[in-house]
Structures are given as C-alpha cells and as structure tokens.
C-alpha cells in the first residue's frame, strides 16, 4: 500500500513540474505556480528531486524506471532553461 502512495506522490510531483514549465500567470492556475516560484526559483528542481526519491520508494518495475527517467528529463529541461537565462 505504501508503494502505491509513493508512486502517486511521484506522479503528482511530475505533473506539477511539467505544468510549471509552460504555465501562464494570467490563467486561473497561475497564482499557485507564482507562489511556488516565489518560494524559490529552483522549485522545479526541488520537486524533481523529491519525485525521484518518491519514485525510488514506489512500485517496482517499469513504473519506477519511467518515473525516474521522466523526473530526470524534466529536471534537465529546467536546468537548461536556467543556464540559458543566465548567459
């Protein structure tokens, strides 16, 4: 039962991270993402790290591997966006 909860938390964090990549501040959900960005500009990377940790405790097999790869991919996207914005 606990493994299912960890996998569900990882999926939720993955959805939030992907939505943070292309959010629109003028939409109804923009306030929540502005709040997350106000906490830290690195919040997507933090959520990705928490998602990887949660996925590693989740359901074994292909689901775990896919969740870890997707979290790593989204973290790389944000890291690339941060590097491009600095230079």
């Amino acid at each position: 039962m606990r493994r299912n909860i960890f996998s569900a938390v990882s999926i939720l964090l993955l959805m939030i991270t992907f939505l943070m990549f292309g959010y629109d501040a003028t939409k109804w959900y923009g306030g929540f993402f502005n709040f997350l960005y106000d906490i830290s500009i690195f919040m997507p990377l933090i959520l990705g790290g928490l998602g990887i940790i949660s996925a590693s405790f989740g359901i074994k097999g292909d689901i775990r591997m896919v969740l870890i790869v997707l979290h790593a991919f989204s973290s790389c996207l944000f890291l690339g966006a941060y590097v491009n914005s600095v230079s």
Side-chain angles (χ1 to χ4, degrees):
M1 179 66 181
R2 254 190 312 187
R3 293 188 187 273
N4 292 339
I5 293 172
F6 282 123
S7 293
V9 168
S10 179
I11 291 170
L12 178 69
L13 291 173
L14 182 66
M15 290 184 342
I16 290 173
T17 305
F18 273 130
L19 288 175
M20 286 181 80
F21 192 69
Y23 88 101
D24 185 6
T26 61
K27 300 291 183 182
W28 62 270
Y29 55 85
F32 176 68
F33 293 120
N34 283 334
F35 170 73
L36 289 177
Y37 277 122
D38 286 342
I39 293 173
S40 174
I41 191 68
F42 299 109
M43 186 56 71
L45 297 175
I46 295 168
L47 292 176
L50 289 174
I52 289 173
I53 292 169
S54 178
S56 65
F57 290 121
I59 299 172
K60 292 183 179 179
D62 292 337
I63 296 173
R64 177 186 289 180
M65 183 178 61
V66 167
L67 285 173
I68 290 174
V69 167
L70 287 176
H71 278 289
F73 176 71
S74 68
S75 295
C76 288
L77 280 176
F78 275 103
L79 192 61
Y82 292 144
V83 169
N84 284 335
S85 68
V86 170
S87 57

